[in-house]
Amino acid sequence: MAMDAIQIVKEAEEKAREILDSTTAAAKRAAEEAVKNADEEYHRILTQAESEAEMIKNRAIEEGEAIAKPILEKGQSEAEAIRGIDSVKLDRIVDIIIERIVKTDGNS
C-alpha cells in the first residue's frame, strides 16, 4: 500500500510537471505572439503616419505654390515692364535722380 501511495505521488508530480511545462510553453508562445503582433502594429502605425506626413507635406507645397504663383507672375510682369522702358526715358529718369541726389553745385 505504501508503494501504491508513492507511485500515485510520483504520477501526480509527473502530471504537475507536464502541466507546468505545458503552461510555461504556452505562456512563452503567447508572449512571442504578443511581441510579433506589437511589432506588426508598430510598423502599420509608422507606415500610416509616414503616408499622412507625405500627404500633409504635398498639400503644404501645393498651397505654397498657389500663394507664390501670383506673386511671381506680378514680379515677372513688373520686371518686363522695367526692361521695356526705352533708353530715352531711362536716361531722363537717371538724370532726374542724379539731379535730386547731387545738387547743381556738385555738393551732395
Side-chain angles (χ1 to χ4, degrees):
M1 176 116 175
M3 281 303 238
D4 288 340
I6 292 173
Q7 186 63 31
I8 291 172
V9 169
K10 282 185 179 182
E11 288 175 3
E13 286 176 345
E14 183 61 32
K15 277 192 175 186
R17 193 172 303 118
E18 288 174 4
I19 291 171
L20 183 61
D21 290 345
S22 174
T23 55
T24 301
K28 185 177 179 180
R29 283 192 305 274
E32 289 170 352
E33 185 69 23
V35 168
K36 179 183 171 195
N37 289 342
D39 191 48
E40 289 173 356
E41 183 68 7
Y42 166 77
H43 287 294
R44 184 191 69 76
I45 291 170
L46 185 62
T47 301
Q48 181 181 357
E50 287 171 347
S51 175
E52 289 177 12
E54 186 69 23
M55 287 178 12
I56 291 169
K57 181 182 89 171
N58 290 338
R59 198 168 32 236
I61 288 171
E62 290 173 4
E63 289 175 5
E65 288 175 350
I67 292 170
K69 187 177 179 180
I71 296 169
L72 289 172
E73 289 174 352
K74 180 181 178 190
Q76 288 172 344
S77 66
E78 288 176 359
E80 287 298 320
I82 291 170
R83 280 190 215 107
I85 296 175
D86 73 21
S87 62
V88 173
K89 285 183 182 179
L90 191 58
D91 288 341
R92 281 190 5 202
I93 292 171
V94 169
D95 289 342
I96 292 171
I97 292 171
I98 291 173
E99 185 178 307
R100 288 187 182 174
I101 294 175
V102 179
K103 297 181 180 176
T104 54
D105 61 2
N107 296 324
S108 47

